[in-house]
Amino acid sequence: LARIVPEARIAVAHGQMSGSRLEKVMVDFIEKKYDILLSTNIIESGLDISNVNTIFINNANRMGLADLYQLRGRVGRSPRQAYAYLLVPDEETLTRDARMRLKILEELSDLGSGLQIANYDLEIRGAGNLVGKEQSGNVNLIGFELYCDMLDETINKLKNAGSDAPVEEEVSTEINIPVNAFIPDTYIEDATQKLLMYKRLSRVRHENELNDLEAELKDRYGPLPSPLINLFEVIALKSMLSRLKIRKVEQVKNRIALHVTNSTPLNMQRLLGMATDTRKNVKLLPGGQIVINTNLREGELMNFIRNILMEIMAL
């Protein structure tokens, strides 16, 4: 460093220094007696130095997600623009987990992303047995999210055991409509970032979350291509179907079929009135199917289904 920037005043800090010596180095650095602090990862311990705006992390591929997150957090602690540079060998020499850690850290740079990073860290390292001390177990076999879903379901069943309170049915909605809905390779070229985006989209439950993701994608990659617009429409439709407790929507030839459940909130008298209106082309079939005749093409189907659902919601 002295050879590269001979005019810089460089301080050194590491964990084998005495407490008093380490404290003096840090105080001098805070008081701007030094320009550069060369340190081990002891610096991640939560020191708040507002005048520092740049950090270089060498061999970042050898550190865990939590370490990298803490180190990155040492800068950007004031209104000044901050920069964190992660230095790694050639990408070909990195392990799969190291590449995943770096991509996650690059992807999640917003304020408050610590919880998401912690979840990814658990997935990469393996949470293991949640009720024991082992670092390996069933979580690795089925995935962290599914494990948590199953855990929540079991806890809710145990809470409601012996209770007269009804347990709300969780409806998994299936959409079978011939529409091109995906993230094109030309839009997000990096496969890992694309998988992370698919994962974030799969967690969307409300339209405001979808709007935030859409704004983020436009800001990072530019205007949305048609297949991605279709994907956003499918996710918005799935959110609406889930609220209505409709388990499936599919197109069969020139008909759209909605498969309702016992918990679908419908006023059957009004629905029958809708079915008897010849202008609506709506039929009720046994097995909880609402069938709508239509000759619309792919580009018009999503709006048509959404309008039908709005009419059903009004009932």
Side-chain angles (χ1 to χ4, degrees):
L1 284 175
R3 187 174 65 252
I4 296 169
V5 279
E7 69 276 13
R9 299 166 298 173
I10 302 173
V12 176
H14 56 78
Q16 294 184 12
M17 297 170 67
S18 66
S20 58
R21 173 64 182 153
L22 185 60
E23 181 182 5
K24 185 178 188 311
V25 169
M26 294 308 305
V27 170
D28 288 347
F29 184 57
I30 291 170
E31 293 178 350
K32 301 183 182 181
K33 294 180 181 179
Y34 295 103
D35 304 304
I36 297 174
L37 177 66
L38 174 62
S39 171
T40 60
N41 63 342
I42 191 176
I43 200 68
E44 76 179 19
S45 301
L47 297 170
D48 188 354
I49 310 174
S50 59
N51 61 296
V52 176
N53 76 324
T54 303
I55 184 170
F56 290 87
I57 304 172
N58 196 30
N59 290 322
N61 56 299
R62 298 173 62 182
M63 300 184 185
L65 258 181
D67 291 326
L68 293 173
Y69 181 68
Q70 288 294 330
L71 288 168
R72 185 179 68 178
R74 294 309 98 215
V75 295
R77 309 186 73 82
S78 73
R80 300 172 64 188
Q81 174 67 51
Y83 303 89
Y85 295 93
L86 277 61
L87 308 182
V88 298
D90 292 337
E91 191 170 348
E92 290 76 13
T93 64
L94 299 180
T95 64
R96 175 187 169 277
D97 285 352
R99 284 197 299 270
M100 180 68 76
R101 288 195 296 268
L102 295 171
K103 289 299 180 184
I104 289 169
L105 201 71
E106 182 182 7
E107 186 81 15
L108 300 176
S109 58
D110 297 332
L111 288 172
S113 57
L115 179 60
Q116 289 175 278
I117 287 178
N119 284 334
Y120 282 123
D121 194 27
L122 279 172
E123 288 190 12
I124 292 172
R125 293 187 299 108
N129 181 1
L130 296 187
V131 292
K133 63 182 181 179
E134 296 88 352
Q135 190 68 17
S136 60
N138 296 327
V139 173
N140 283 333
L141 299 177
I142 62 174
F144 181 70
E145 287 186 55
L146 179 57
Y147 193 95
C148 287
D149 289 342
M150 294 171 67
L151 193 64
D152 285 340
E153 184 180 343
T154 303
I155 290 172
N156 288 332
K157 284 182 180 178
L158 291 172
K159 281 183 177 179
N160 290 285
S163 172
D164 295 331
V167 179
E168 186 176 351
E169 179 186 1
E170 182 69 28
V171 177
S172 178
T173 301
E174 180 182 346
I175 300 177
N176 292 329
I177 298 173
V179 59
N180 289 320
F182 60 93
I183 303 174
D185 293 339
T186 53
Y187 190 69
I188 301 180
E189 296 180 359
D190 187 274
T192 303
Q193 290 194 27
K194 188 189 298 183
L195 285 173
L196 288 172
M197 185 53 62
Y198 274 127
K199 196 164 192 176
R200 292 177 67 185
L201 286 168
S202 70
R203 293 173 174 166
V204 170
R205 294 293 179 269
H206 303 286
E207 281 205 36
N208 58 338
E209 299 174 39
L210 202 58
N211 293 335
D212 290 342
L213 272 179
E214 182 179 355
E216 179 183 332
L217 282 171
K218 286 180 179 177
D219 181 57
R220 293 180 60 184
Y221 301 103
L224 271 57
S226 296
L228 187 50
I229 292 173
N230 291 339
L231 180 59
F232 271 74
E233 289 183 353
V234 168
I235 294 171
L237 179 62
K238 188 168 184 177
S239 174
M240 189 182 294
L241 290 165
S242 297
R243 290 199 301 272
L244 282 171
K245 309 293 184 185
I246 295 175
R247 61 182 177 85
K248 187 177 181 180
V249 57
E250 61 181 342
Q251 182 185 21
V252 182
K253 295 183 179 179
N254 63 337
R255 297 195 299 180
I256 299 293
L258 305 173
H259 299 254
V260 302
T261 63
N262 291 333
S263 56
T264 302
L266 292 175
N267 184 315
M268 291 308 298
Q269 187 173 357
R270 292 184 178 179
L271 187 61
L272 286 170
M274 184 178 177
T276 55
D277 188 341
T278 55
R279 297 170 298 175
K280 302 288 186 183
N281 290 322
V282 175
K283 293 181 180 178
L284 301 181
L285 298 182
Q289 289 189 49
I290 303 174
V291 177
I292 307 103
N293 293 319
T294 178
N295 293 315
L296 295 177
R297 297 180 180 178
E298 176 184 311
E300 303 167 310
L301 273 177
M302 301 301 292
N303 282 333
F304 174 76
I305 295 172
R306 186 179 292 108
N307 291 335
I308 288 292
L309 288 175
M310 292 297 289
E311 288 191 48
I312 292 175
M313 287 175 74
L315 302 180

